Coordinates of all heavy atoms in Angstrom, one line a residue:
M186 N 25.5 -65.7 -62.9 CA 25.8 -65.6 -64.4 C 27.2 -64.9 -64.4 O 27.4 -63.8 -63.8 CB 24.7 -64.7 -65.0 CG 24.9 -64.6 -66.4 SD 23.6 -63.5 -67.2 CE 22.1 -64.3 -66.6
Q187 N 28.0 -65.3 -65.3 CA 29.4 -64.8 -65.3 C 29.4 -64.0 -66.7 O 29.0 -64.5 -67.7 CB 30.4 -65.8 -65.5 CG 31.8 -65.4 -65.4 CD 32.8 -66.5 -65.2 OE1 32.5 -67.7 -65.3 NE2 34.1 -66.2 -64.9
T188 N 30.0 -62.9 -66.7 CA 30.1 -62.0 -67.9 C 31.4 -62.3 -68.5 O 32.4 -62.4 -67.9 CB 30.2 -60.5 -67.6 OG1 28.9 -60.3 -66.8 CG2 30.2 -59.7 -68.7
Q189 N 31.4 -62.6 -69.9 CA 32.7 -62.8 -70.7 C 32.9 -61.6 -71.5 O 32.0 -61.2 -72.2 CB 32.5 -64.0 -71.4 CG 32.4 -65.4 -70.5 CD 32.3 -66.5 -71.4 OE1 31.7 -66.5 -72.4 NE2 32.9 -67.7 -70.9
A190 N 34.1 -61.3 -71.6 CA 34.6 -60.3 -72.6 C 34.8 -60.8 -74.0 O 35.1 -62.1 -74.1 CB 35.9 -59.7 -72.1
L191 N 34.4 -60.0 -74.9 CA 34.6 -60.5 -76.4 C 36.1 -60.6 -76.7 O 36.8 -59.6 -76.5 CB 33.9 -59.6 -77.3 CG 34.0 -59.8 -78.8 CD1 33.4 -61.1 -79.2 CD2 33.4 -58.7 -79.6
E192 N 36.6 -61.8 -77.1 CA 37.9 -61.9 -77.5 C 38.0 -62.3 -78.9 O 37.4 -63.2 -79.4 CB 38.6 -63.0 -76.5 CG 38.7 -62.5 -75.2 CD 39.3 -63.6 -74.2 OE1 40.2 -64.4 -74.8 OE2 39.1 -63.6 -73.0
L193 N 38.9 -61.6 -79.6 CA 39.2 -61.8 -81.1 C 40.5 -62.5 -81.2 O 41.4 -62.2 -80.6 CB 39.1 -60.5 -81.8 CG 37.8 -59.8 -81.8 CD1 38.0 -58.5 -82.5 CD2 36.7 -60.6 -82.4
T194 N 40.6 -63.4 -82.2 CA 41.9 -64.0 -82.5 C 42.7 -62.9 -83.3 O 42.2 -62.0 -83.8 CB 41.7 -65.3 -83.5 OG1 41.1 -64.8 -84.7 CG2 40.9 -66.2 -82.8
K195 N 44.0 -63.2 -83.4 CA 44.9 -62.3 -84.2 C 44.4 -62.2 -85.6 O 44.4 -61.1 -86.2 CB 46.3 -62.7 -84.0 CG 46.9 -62.6 -82.7 CD 48.3 -63.1 -82.8 CE 49.0 -63.0 -81.4 NZ 50.4 -63.4 -81.3
E196 N 44.0 -63.3 -86.2 CA 43.5 -63.2 -87.6 C 42.2 -62.3 -87.7 O 42.1 -61.6 -88.7 CB 43.2 -64.6 -88.1 CG 42.6 -64.7 -89.5 CD 43.6 -64.2 -90.6 OE1 44.8 -64.0 -90.2 OE2 43.1 -64.0 -91.7
Q197 N 41.3 -62.5 -86.8 CA 40.1 -61.6 -86.7 C 40.4 -60.1 -86.6 O 39.8 -59.3 -87.3 CB 39.1 -62.1 -85.7 CG 38.5 -63.5 -86.0 CD 37.7 -64.0 -84.8 OE1 38.2 -63.9 -83.6 NE2 36.6 -64.6 -85.0
V198 N 41.3 -59.9 -85.8 CA 41.8 -58.5 -85.6 C 42.3 -58.0 -86.9 O 42.1 -56.8 -87.2 CB 42.7 -58.4 -84.4 CG1 43.4 -57.0 -84.4 CG2 42.0 -58.7 -83.1
R199 N 43.2 -58.8 -87.6 CA 43.9 -58.4 -88.8 C 42.8 -58.0 -89.8 O 42.8 -57.0 -90.5 CB 44.8 -59.4 -89.3 CG 45.6 -59.0 -90.6 CD 46.4 -60.2 -91.1 NE 45.5 -61.2 -91.6 CZ 44.8 -61.2 -92.6 NH1 44.8 -60.2 -93.5 NH2 44.0 -62.2 -93.0
I200 N 41.8 -58.9 -89.9 CA 40.8 -58.7 -91.0 C 40.0 -57.4 -90.6 O 39.7 -56.7 -91.6 CB 39.8 -59.9 -91.0 CG1 40.5 -61.1 -91.6 CG2 38.6 -59.6 -91.8 CD1 39.9 -62.4 -91.5
V201 N 39.6 -57.2 -89.4 CA 38.8 -56.0 -89.0 C 39.6 -54.8 -89.3 O 39.2 -53.9 -89.9 CB 38.4 -56.1 -87.5 CG1 38.0 -54.7 -87.1 CG2 37.4 -57.1 -87.2
D202 N 41.0 -54.8 -89.0 CA 41.9 -53.7 -89.2 C 41.9 -53.4 -90.7 O 41.9 -52.2 -91.2 CB 43.3 -53.9 -88.7 CG 43.3 -53.7 -87.2 OD1 42.3 -53.2 -86.5 OD2 44.3 -54.2 -86.6
E203 N 42.0 -54.3 -91.6 CA 42.2 -54.2 -93.1 C 40.8 -53.6 -93.6 O 40.8 -52.8 -94.4 CB 42.4 -55.4 -93.7 CG 43.9 -55.9 -93.5 CD 44.2 -57.3 -94.1 OE1 43.2 -57.9 -94.9 OE2 45.3 -57.8 -94.1
D204 N 39.7 -54.1 -93.1 CA 38.5 -53.6 -93.7 C 37.9 -52.4 -93.2 O 37.4 -51.6 -93.9 CB 37.4 -54.7 -93.3 CG 37.5 -56.1 -94.0 OD1 38.3 -56.1 -95.0 OD2 36.9 -57.0 -93.6
W205 N 38.2 -52.1 -91.9 CA 37.7 -50.8 -91.3 C 38.7 -49.8 -91.1 O 38.4 -48.6 -91.0 CB 37.0 -51.2 -90.0 CG 35.7 -52.0 -90.2 CD1 35.7 -53.3 -90.2 CD2 34.5 -51.4 -90.5 NE1 34.4 -53.7 -90.5 CE2 33.6 -52.6 -90.7 CE3 34.0 -50.2 -90.6 CZ2 32.3 -52.4 -91.0 CZ3 32.6 -50.1 -91.0 CH2 31.8 -51.2 -91.0
G206 N 40.0 -50.1 -91.0 CA 41.2 -49.1 -90.9 C 40.8 -48.1 -89.8 O 40.5 -48.4 -88.7
T207 N 40.9 -46.8 -90.2 CA 40.8 -45.7 -89.3 C 39.4 -45.5 -88.8 O 39.1 -44.7 -87.8 CB 41.3 -44.4 -89.9 OG1 40.5 -44.1 -91.2 CG2 42.7 -44.5 -90.2
M208 N 38.4 -46.1 -89.4 CA 37.0 -46.0 -89.1 C 36.8 -46.6 -87.6 O 35.9 -46.0 -86.9 CB 36.1 -46.8 -90.0 CG 36.0 -46.4 -91.4 SD 35.0 -45.0 -91.6 CE 33.4 -45.7 -91.4
L209 N 37.6 -47.4 -87.1 CA 37.4 -47.9 -85.8 C 37.7 -46.9 -84.6 O 37.1 -47.1 -83.6 CB 38.4 -49.1 -85.5 CG 38.2 -50.3 -86.5 CD1 39.3 -51.4 -86.2 CD2 36.8 -51.0 -86.1
S210 N 38.4 -45.9 -84.9 CA 38.6 -44.9 -83.9 C 37.6 -43.7 -84.0 O 37.8 -42.8 -83.2 CB 40.1 -44.4 -84.0 OG 40.3 -43.7 -85.3
L211 N 36.7 -43.7 -84.8 CA 35.7 -42.7 -84.9 C 34.8 -42.7 -83.6 O 34.3 -43.8 -83.2 CB 34.8 -42.7 -86.2 CG 35.5 -42.4 -87.4 CD1 34.5 -42.7 -88.6 CD2 36.0 -41.0 -87.5
P212 N 34.5 -41.5 -83.1 CA 33.7 -41.5 -81.8 C 32.2 -41.7 -82.2 O 31.8 -41.3 -83.3 CB 33.9 -40.2 -81.2 CG 34.2 -39.3 -82.4 CD 35.0 -40.3 -83.3
C213 N 31.5 -42.3 -81.3 CA 30.0 -42.5 -81.5 C 29.4 -42.3 -80.0 O 30.1 -42.6 -79.1 CB 29.6 -43.8 -82.1 SG 29.9 -45.2 -81.0
Q214 N 28.1 -41.9 -80.2 CA 27.4 -41.7 -78.9 C 26.3 -42.9 -78.7 O 25.5 -43.1 -79.6 CB 26.7 -40.4 -78.9 CG 25.9 -40.1 -77.6 CD 25.3 -38.6 -77.6 OE1 25.7 -37.9 -78.5 NE2 24.5 -38.4 -76.7
L215 N 26.4 -43.6 -77.6 CA 25.4 -44.7 -77.3 C 24.4 -44.1 -76.5 O 24.6 -43.3 -75.5 CB 26.0 -45.8 -76.6 CG 27.0 -46.6 -77.5 CD1 27.6 -47.7 -76.6 CD2 26.4 -47.1 -78.7
T216 N 23.1 -44.3 -76.8 CA 22.0 -43.9 -76.0 C 21.0 -45.1 -75.8 O 20.8 -45.9 -76.6 CB 21.2 -42.7 -76.6 OG1 20.7 -43.1 -77.9 CG2 22.0 -41.5 -76.7
L217 N 20.3 -45.1 -74.6 CA 19.3 -46.0 -74.2 C 18.0 -45.3 -74.2 O 17.9 -44.1 -73.8 CB 19.6 -46.6 -72.9 CG 20.7 -47.5 -72.7 CD1 20.9 -47.8 -71.3 CD2 20.6 -48.7 -73.5
E218 N 16.9 -45.9 -74.6 CA 15.6 -45.3 -74.6 C 14.8 -45.8 -73.4 O 14.2 -46.9 -73.6 CB 14.9 -45.5 -75.9 CG 15.5 -44.7 -77.1 CD 14.7 -44.9 -78.4 OE1 13.7 -45.5 -78.4 OE2 15.2 -44.4 -79.4
L219 N 14.7 -45.1 -72.4 CA 13.9 -45.6 -71.2 C 12.8 -44.6 -71.1 O 13.0 -43.4 -70.7 CB 14.8 -45.5 -69.9 CG 15.6 -46.8 -69.7 CD1 16.5 -46.6 -68.5 CD2 14.8 -48.1 -69.6
R220 N 11.6 -44.9 -71.4 CA 10.5 -44.0 -71.3 C 10.1 -43.9 -69.8 O 10.0 -44.9 -69.1 CB 9.4 -44.5 -72.1 CG 9.6 -44.3 -73.6 CD 8.5 -44.6 -74.5 NE 8.8 -44.3 -75.9 CZ 9.4 -45.0 -76.7 NH1 10.0 -46.1 -76.3 NH2 9.7 -44.6 -77.9
V221 N 9.9 -42.6 -69.4 CA 9.3 -42.5 -68.0 C 8.1 -41.8 -68.0 O 7.9 -40.6 -68.3 CB 10.4 -41.5 -67.3 CG1 10.0 -41.3 -65.9 CG2 11.8 -42.2 -67.3
P222 N 6.9 -42.5 -67.8 CA 5.6 -41.9 -67.9 C 5.4 -40.9 -66.9 O 5.9 -41.0 -65.7 CB 4.7 -43.1 -67.8 CG 5.5 -44.2 -67.2 CD 6.9 -44.0 -67.5
A223 N 4.6 -39.8 -67.2 CA 4.3 -38.8 -66.3 C 5.5 -38.0 -65.8 O 5.4 -37.3 -64.8 CB 3.5 -39.3 -65.2
F224 N 6.6 -38.0 -66.5 CA 7.8 -37.2 -66.0 C 7.6 -35.8 -66.7 O 7.4 -35.7 -67.9 CB 9.0 -37.9 -66.5 CG 10.3 -37.3 -65.9 CD1 10.7 -37.7 -64.6 CD2 11.1 -36.5 -66.5 CE1 11.8 -37.3 -64.1 CE2 12.3 -36.0 -66.0 CZ 12.6 -36.4 -64.6
T225 N 7.7 -34.9 -65.9 CA 7.5 -33.5 -66.3 C 8.7 -32.6 -66.1 O 9.7 -33.0 -65.5 CB 6.3 -32.9 -65.5 OG1 6.7 -32.8 -64.1 CG2 5.1 -33.7 -65.6
V226 N 8.7 -31.4 -66.6 CA 9.8 -30.5 -66.5 C 9.9 -30.2 -64.9 O 10.9 -30.1 -64.5 CB 9.4 -29.1 -67.2 CG1 10.5 -28.1 -66.8 CG2 9.5 -29.4 -68.8
R227 N 8.8 -30.1 -64.2 CA 8.9 -30.0 -62.8 C 9.7 -31.1 -62.1 O 10.5 -30.9 -61.3 CB 7.5 -29.9 -62.2 CG 7.5 -29.8 -60.7 CD 6.1 -29.6 -60.1 NE 5.5 -28.6 -61.1 CZ 4.5 -27.7 -60.6 NH1 4.1 -27.8 -59.4 NH2 4.1 -26.8 -61.4
S228 N 9.4 -32.3 -62.6 CA 10.2 -33.5 -62.1 C 11.6 -33.4 -62.4 O 12.5 -33.6 -61.5 CB 9.6 -34.7 -62.7 OG 8.3 -34.9 -62.4
L229 N 11.9 -32.9 -63.6 CA 13.3 -32.7 -64.0 C 14.0 -31.7 -63.1 O 15.2 -31.9 -62.7 CB 13.4 -32.2 -65.5 CG 14.7 -32.0 -66.0 CD1 15.5 -33.3 -66.1 CD2 14.6 -31.4 -67.4
L230 N 13.4 -30.6 -62.8 CA 13.9 -29.5 -62.1 C 14.1 -29.9 -60.6 O 14.9 -29.4 -59.8 CB 13.1 -28.2 -62.1 CG 13.1 -27.6 -63.5 CD1 12.1 -26.5 -63.5 CD2 14.5 -27.1 -63.9
R231 N 13.4 -30.9 -60.1 CA 13.4 -31.4 -58.7 C 14.5 -32.5 -58.5 O 14.7 -33.0 -57.4 CB 12.1 -31.8 -58.3 CG 11.1 -30.7 -58.1 CD 9.8 -31.2 -57.5 NE 8.9 -30.0 -57.3 CZ 7.6 -30.1 -57.0 NH1 7.1 -31.3 -56.9 NH2 6.9 -29.1 -56.7
L232 N 15.1 -32.9 -59.6 CA 16.1 -34.0 -59.4 C 17.3 -33.6 -58.6 O 17.7 -32.4 -58.7 CB 16.6 -34.4 -60.8 CG 15.7 -35.2 -61.7 CD1 16.4 -35.4 -63.1 CD2 15.3 -36.4 -61.1
E233 N 17.7 -34.4 -57.7 CA 18.9 -34.2 -56.8 C 19.7 -35.5 -56.9 O 19.4 -36.5 -57.4 CB 18.4 -34.0 -55.4 CG 17.6 -32.8 -55.2 CD 17.2 -32.6 -53.8 OE1 17.7 -33.2 -52.9 OE2 16.3 -31.7 -53.6
K234 N 20.9 -35.3 -56.4 CA 21.9 -36.4 -56.4 C 21.2 -37.6 -55.7 O 20.5 -37.4 -54.6 CB 23.2 -36.1 -55.6 CG 24.2 -37.2 -55.7 CD 25.4 -36.7 -54.9 CE 26.3 -37.8 -54.8 NZ 27.5 -37.6 -54.0
D235 N 21.5 -38.8 -56.2 CA 20.9 -40.1 -55.7 C 19.3 -40.2 -55.8 O 18.7 -41.1 -55.1 CB 21.3 -40.3 -54.2 CG 22.8 -40.4 -54.0 OD1 23.4 -40.9 -54.9 OD2 23.3 -39.9 -53.0
T236 N 18.7 -39.4 -56.6 CA 17.4 -39.5 -56.9 C 17.0 -40.8 -57.7 O 17.8 -41.1 -58.7 CB 16.8 -38.3 -57.6 OG1 17.0 -37.2 -56.9 CG2 15.3 -38.5 -57.9
V237 N 16.0 -41.5 -57.3 CA 15.6 -42.8 -58.1 C 14.3 -42.4 -58.8 O 13.4 -42.0 -58.1 CB 15.5 -44.0 -57.1 CG1 15.0 -45.2 -57.8 CG2 16.8 -44.3 -56.4
I238 N 14.3 -42.7 -60.0 CA 13.1 -42.5 -60.9 C 12.5 -43.8 -61.3 O 13.2 -44.7 -61.8 CB 13.5 -41.7 -62.1 CG1 14.2 -40.4 -61.7 CG2 12.3 -41.5 -63.0 CD1 14.8 -39.7 -62.8
D239 N 11.2 -44.0 -61.1 CA 10.6 -45.2 -61.5 C 10.2 -45.2 -62.9 O 9.4 -44.3 -63.4 CB 9.3 -45.4 -60.6 CG 8.5 -46.7 -60.9 OD1 9.1 -47.5 -61.7 OD2 7.4 -46.9 -60.3
T240 N 10.8 -46.0 -63.7 CA 10.5 -45.9 -65.1 C 9.3 -46.8 -65.6 O 8.9 -46.6 -66.7 CB 11.8 -46.5 -65.9 OG1 11.9 -47.9 -65.6 CG2 13.0 -45.7 -65.6
K241 N 8.7 -47.6 -64.7 CA 7.7 -48.5 -65.1 C 8.1 -49.5 -66.1 O 7.3 -50.1 -66.8 CB 6.5 -47.8 -65.6 CG 5.9 -46.7 -64.6 CD 5.3 -47.3 -63.4 CE 4.7 -46.1 -62.5 NZ 4.7 -46.3 -61.2
W242 N 9.4 -49.7 -66.2 CA 10.0 -50.6 -67.2 C 10.1 -52.0 -66.5 O 10.7 -52.1 -65.6 CB 11.4 -50.2 -67.7 CG 11.8 -50.8 -69.0 CD1 12.4 -51.9 -69.3 CD2 11.7 -50.1 -70.3 NE1 12.6 -52.1 -70.5 CE2 12.2 -50.9 -71.2 CE3 11.2 -48.9 -70.7 CZ2 12.2 -50.7 -72.6 CZ3 11.1 -48.6 -72.1 CH2 11.7 -49.5 -73.0
S243 N 9.4 -53.0 -67.0 CA 9.4 -54.3 -66.4 C 10.7 -55.0 -66.6 O 11.4 -54.9 -67.6 CB 8.3 -55.2 -66.9 OG 8.5 -55.4 -68.3
Q244 N 11.1 -55.6 -65.5 CA 12.5 -56.4 -65.5 C 12.3 -57.4 -66.6 O 11.4 -58.1 -66.7 CB 12.7 -57.0 -64.1 CG 14.1 -57.5 -64.0 CD 14.4 -58.1 -62.6 OE1 13.6 -57.8 -61.7 NE2 15.5 -58.6 -62.5
G245 N 13.4 -57.6 -67.3 CA 13.5 -58.6 -68.4 C 13.0 -58.1 -69.7 O 13.3 -58.8 -70.6
T246 N 12.5 -56.9 -69.7 CA 12.1 -56.3 -71.1 C 13.4 -55.6 -71.6 O 14.1 -54.8 -71.0 CB 11.0 -55.2 -70.9 OG1 9.9 -55.8 -70.2 CG2 10.6 -54.6 -72.2
D247 N 13.6 -55.9 -72.9 CA 14.7 -55.3 -73.6 C 14.6 -53.9 -73.8 O 13.5 -53.3 -74.1 CB 15.0 -56.0 -74.9 CG 15.6 -57.4 -74.7 OD1 16.1 -57.8 -73.6 OD2 15.5 -58.2 -75.7
I248 N 15.8 -53.1 -73.7 CA 15.8 -51.7 -73.9 C 16.5 -51.4 -75.2 O 17.6 -52.0 -75.5 CB 16.6 -51.1 -72.7 CG1 15.9 -51.5 -71.4 CG2 16.7 -49.6 -72.9 CD1 16.8 -51.3 -70.1
P249 N 15.9 -50.5 -76.0 CA 16.6 -50.1 -77.4 C 17.8 -49.5 -77.1 O 18.0 -48.5 -76.2 CB 15.6 -49.2 -77.9 CG 14.2 -49.5 -77.3 CD 14.6 -49.9 -75.9
L250 N 18.9 -49.8 -77.8 CA 20.2 -49.2 -77.8 C 20.5 -48.5 -79.2 O 20.2 -49.2 -80.2 CB 21.3 -50.3 -77.5 CG 22.7 -49.8 -77.5 CD1 23.0 -48.8 -76.5 CD2 23.6 -51.0 -77.4
R251 N 20.9 -47.2 -79.1 CA 21.2 -46.6 -80.4 C 22.6 -46.1 -80.3 O 23.1 -45.7 -79.4 CB 20.2 -45.3 -80.6 CG 18.8 -45.8 -80.7 CD 17.8 -44.6 -80.9 NE 16.4 -45.1 -81.1 CZ 15.9 -45.4 -82.2 NH1 16.6 -45.5 -83.3 NH2 14.7 -45.9 -82.2
A252 N 23.2 -46.1 -81.5 CA 24.5 -45.4 -81.7 C 24.3 -44.3 -82.7 O 23.9 -44.6 -83.9 CB 25.5 -46.5 -82.4
N253 N 24.6 -43.1 -82.2 CA 24.4 -41.9 -83.0 C 23.0 -41.8 -83.7 O 22.8 -41.4 -84.8 CB 25.4 -41.7 -84.2 CG 26.8 -41.6 -83.7 OD1 27.1 -41.1 -82.6 ND2 27.8 -42.0 -84.5
G254 N 22.1 -42.2 -82.7 CA 20.6 -42.1 -83.2 C 20.1 -43.3 -84.0 O 18.9 -43.6 -84.1
Q255 N 21.0 -44.2 -84.4 CA 20.5 -45.4 -85.2 C 20.3 -46.6 -84.4 O 21.2 -46.9 -83.5 CB 21.6 -45.7 -86.3 CG 21.3 -46.8 -87.2 CD 20.1 -46.5 -88.1 OE1 19.9 -45.4 -88.5 NE2 19.3 -47.5 -88.3
L256 N 19.2 -47.2 -84.4 CA 19.0 -48.5 -83.6 C 20.0 -49.6 -84.0 O 20.0 -49.9 -85.2 CB 17.5 -49.0 -83.8 CG 17.2 -50.1 -83.0 CD1 17.2 -49.9 -81.5 CD2 15.8 -50.7 -83.4
I257 N 20.7 -50.0 -83.0 CA 21.6 -51.1 -83.4 C 21.4 -52.4 -82.6 O 21.9 -53.4 -82.9 CB 23.1 -50.7 -83.1 CG1 23.4 -50.3 -81.5 CG2 23.6 -49.5 -83.8 CD1 24.8 -50.1 -81.1
G258 N 20.5 -52.3 -81.6 CA 20.1 -53.6 -80.9 C 19.3 -53.3 -79.6 O 18.9 -52.2 -79.5
W259 N 19.2 -54.3 -78.9 CA 18.4 -54.2 -77.6 C 19.3 -54.9 -76.5 O 20.1 -55.8 -76.7 CB 17.1 -55.1 -77.7 CG 16.1 -54.4 -78.6 CD1 15.1 -53.6 -78.2 CD2 16.1 -54.5 -80.0 NE1 14.4 -53.2 -79.4 CE2 15.0 -53.7 -80.6 CE3 16.8 -55.2 -81.0 CZ2 14.7 -53.6 -81.7 CZ3 16.4 -55.1 -82.3 CH2 15.3 -54.3 -82.7
T260 N 19.2 -54.3 -75.3 CA 20.0 -54.6 -74.2 C 19.2 -54.8 -72.9 O 17.9 -54.6 -72.9 CB 20.9 -53.5 -73.9 OG1 20.2 -52.3 -73.5 CG2 21.9 -53.1 -75.1
E261 N 19.8 -55.4 -71.9 CA 19.1 -55.5 -70.5 C 20.1 -55.1 -69.6 O 21.3 -55.2 -69.7 CB 18.6 -56.9 -70.3 CG 19.7 -57.9 -70.3 CD 19.0 -59.3 -70.2 OE1 17.9 -59.5 -70.4 OE2 19.8 -60.3 -69.9
F262 N 19.6 -54.6 -68.4 CA 20.6 -54.2 -67.3 C 21.1 -55.4 -66.6 O 20.3 -56.4 -66.5 CB 19.9 -53.3 -66.4 CG 19.7 -51.8 -66.9 CD1 18.4 -51.4 -67.2 CD2 20.8 -51.0 -67.1 CE1 18.3 -50.1 -67.6 CE2 20.7 -49.7 -67.5 CZ 19.4 -49.2 -67.8
E263 N 22.3 -55.4 -66.1 CA 22.9 -56.4 -65.4 C 23.9 -55.8 -64.3 O 24.5 -54.8 -64.7 CB 23.6 -57.4 -66.3 CG 24.3 -58.5 -65.6 CD 24.9 -59.5 -66.6 OE1 24.2 -59.8 -67.7 OE2 26.0 -59.9 -66.4
V264 N 24.0 -56.4 -63.2 CA 24.7 -55.9 -62.2 C 26.0 -56.8 -62.2 O 26.0 -58.0 -62.2 CB 24.2 -56.1 -60.8 CG1 25.2 -55.6 -59.7 CG2 23.0 -55.2 -60.6
V265 N 27.2 -56.1 -62.4 CA 28.6 -56.8 -62.5 C 29.4 -56.3 -61.3 O 29.8 -55.1 -61.4 CB 29.2 -56.6 -63.8 CG1 30.5 -57.3 -63.9 CG2 28.3 -57.1 -64.9
G266 N 29.6 -57.0 -60.3 CA 30.3 -56.6 -59.1 C 29.5 -55.5 -58.5 O 28.3 -55.7 -58.2
E267 N 29.9 -54.3 -58.4 CA 29.3 -53.1 -57.9 C 28.9 -52.1 -58.9 O 28.5 -51.0 -58.7 CB 30.1 -52.5 -56.7 CG 30.3 -53.3 -55.6 CD 31.0 -52.6 -54.4 OE1 31.1 -51.3 -54.5 OE2 31.4 -53.3 -53.5
R268 N 28.9 -52.6 -60.2 CA 28.6 -51.7 -61.3 C 27.3 -52.1 -62.0 O 27.0 -53.4 -62.1 CB 29.7 -51.7 -62.2 CG 30.9 -51.0 -61.7 CD 32.1 -50.9 -62.7 NE 33.1 -50.1 -62.2 CZ 33.5 -49.1 -62.8 NH1 33.1 -48.7 -64.1 NH2 34.5 -48.3 -62.4
L269 N 26.7 -51.2 -62.6 CA 25.5 -51.5 -63.4 C 26.0 -51.5 -64.9 O 26.6 -50.7 -65.3 CB 24.4 -50.4 -63.2 CG 23.1 -50.6 -64.0 CD1 22.4 -51.9 -63.5 CD2 22.2 -49.4 -63.8
A270 N 25.7 -52.7 -65.5 CA 26.1 -52.8 -66.9 C 25.0 -53.1 -67.9 O 23.8 -53.4 -67.4 CB 27.2 -54.0 -66.9
L271 N 25.3 -53.2 -69.2 CA 24.3 -53.5 -70.1 C 24.8 -54.8 -70.8 O 25.9 -54.9 -71.2 CB 24.1 -52.4 -71.2 CG 23.6 -51.2 -70.6 CD1 23.6 -50.1 -71.7 CD2 22.1 -51.3 -70.3
R272 N 23.9 -55.7 -71.0 CA 24.1 -56.9 -71.8 C 23.4 -56.7 -73.1 O 22.2 -56.6 -73.2 CB 23.7 -58.2 -71.0 CG 23.9 -59.4 -71.9 CD 23.4 -60.6 -71.1 NE 24.1 -60.9 -69.9 CZ 25.2 -61.6 -69.9 NH1 25.9 -62.0 -71.0 NH2 25.9 -61.7 -68.8
L273 N 24.2 -56.9 -74.2 CA 23.5 -56.8 -75.6 C 22.8 -58.1 -75.7 O 23.4 -59.3 -75.8 CB 24.6 -56.6 -76.7 CG 24.1 -56.4 -78.0 CD1 23.2 -55.1 -78.1 CD2 25.3 -56.2 -79.0
T274 N 21.5 -58.1 -76.0 CA 20.7 -59.3 -76.2 C 20.3 -59.6 -77.6 O 20.1 -60.8 -77.9 CB 19.5 -59.3 -75.2 OG1 18.6 -58.1 -75.7 CG2 19.7 -59.1 -73.8
E275 N 20.3 -58.6 -78.4 CA 19.9 -58.8 -79.8 C 20.4 -57.6 -80.6 O 20.3 -56.5 -80.3 CB 18.4 -58.9 -79.9 CG 17.8 -59.2 -81.2 CD 16.3 -59.4 -81.3 OE1 15.7 -59.5 -80.2 OE2 15.7 -59.3 -82.4
L276 N 20.8 -58.0 -81.8 CA 21.3 -57.0 -82.8 C 20.1 -56.5 -83.7 O 19.3 -57.4 -84.0 CB 22.5 -57.3 -83.5 CG 23.7 -57.5 -82.8 CD1 24.8 -58.2 -83.8 CD2 24.3 -56.2 -82.4
A277 N 20.0 -55.3 -84.1 CA 18.9 -54.9 -84.9 C 19.2 -55.3 -86.4 O 20.2 -55.6 -86.8 CB 18.8 -53.3 -84.9

């Protein structure tokens, strides 16, 4: 599977710039919601570098994606080269 970057035409960029202006540069925080059953404070305190945590999340199940706490869509993990990436599968 090949990953493609989103490419906008010059006209699309012009329209976005006119409509959104300086709003495009506002920072936002993206978060994923991965529930980890039976994870305790003790588990948290025992975390070390390179620790792997079993999330019990089944492969292929979409993961909720939030921007500043607001649900914006669902994603799935994907390996791109040697990096772990997210593929946006559905918008909220």
Side-chain angles (χ1 to χ4, degrees):
M186 185 183 307
Q187 187 174 12
T188 302
Q189 293 180 328
L191 176 64
E192 294 182 24
L193 299 175
T194 65
K195 288 181 181 180
E196 178 63 15
Q197 289 170 320
V198 170
R199 184 188 63 75
I200 291 170
V201 168
D202 284 346
E203 287 176 3
D204 290 346
W205 292 93
T207 58
M208 297 278 291
L209 295 175
S210 62
L211 291 175
C213 68
Q214 182 175 347
L215 292 180
T216 56
L217 295 172
E218 291 184 6
L219 280 174
R220 289 186 172 79
V221 182
F224 195 78
T225 64
V226 172
R227 180 176 310 215
S228 304
L229 178 65
L230 294 174
R231 290 183 176 168
L232 287 178
E233 294 180 12
K234 183 180 176 186
D235 297 325
T236 300
V237 176
I238 302 168
D239 185 7
T240 64
K241 306 289 186 209
W242 203 274
S243 61
Q244 186 175 356
T246 304
D247 287 344
I248 302 162
L250 174 66
R251 295 184 181 273
N253 294 336
Q255 181 67 40
L256 180 66
I257 61 169
W259 289 267
T260 63
E261 62 186 17
F262 286 111
E263 180 176 313
V264 177
V265 178
E267 293 186 11
R268 294 180 166 234
L269 186 60
L271 292 173
R272 175 182 297 277
L273 186 61
T274 57
E275 186 177 343
L276 291 173

